[in-house]
Amino acid sequence: MSIAVYILVMASVTYLIRMIPFTFFRKKIKSRFFSSFLYYIPYAVLSAMTIPAIFYSTGSLAASIAGTAAAVILAYMELPLIVVALSASGTAFLAGFFV
């Protein structure tokens, strides 16, 4: 099959996903529950995709836990994202040598 067909299908699906909400929800959403639900969906989906990837990214579960712990502690201290990411990666890398 041609790559142009793949691109056309991908573009169509992407357009439909973005167009359907605008078609059905023309008025402002007034329900607090539904509005809150829609607000937190991206965070829930991102967490559901990221957390398993964190624990399967290294060959060792202990190294993954060490990196995750470092990330959580540094994020709680409100350090910049680049510092948290690099520190967590470095911690997981170094923990891989010791575990």
Side-chain angles (χ1 to χ4, degrees):
M1 220 181 239
S2 173
I3 192 163
V5 174
Y6 293 136
I7 293 172
L8 182 65
V9 169
M10 182 183 64
S12 301
V13 169
T14 303
Y15 178 74
L16 283 174
I17 289 172
R18 293 172 186 258
M19 186 231 11
I20 288 173
F22 287 117
T23 304
F24 290 120
F25 302 112
R26 294 186 185 259
K27 297 179 185 175
K28 183 168 175 62
I29 298 171
K30 295 179 182 175
S31 169
R32 282 184 53 189
F33 173 77
F34 195 61
S35 180
S36 175
F37 175 77
L38 290 176
Y39 178 80
Y40 286 111
I41 284 290
Y43 299 110
V45 170
L46 184 62
S47 298
M49 291 178 0
T50 305
I51 298 298
I54 289 170
F55 293 111
Y56 292 112
S57 62
T58 64
S60 168
L61 182 62
S64 297
I65 291 171
T68 302
V72 168
I73 291 168
L74 294 175
Y76 185 75
M77 295 169 54
E78 297 183 0
L79 291 173
L81 178 61
I82 190 72
V83 173
V84 173
L86 291 176
S87 300
S89 299
T91 302
F93 180 71
L94 291 175
F97 288 120
F98 298 112
V99 189

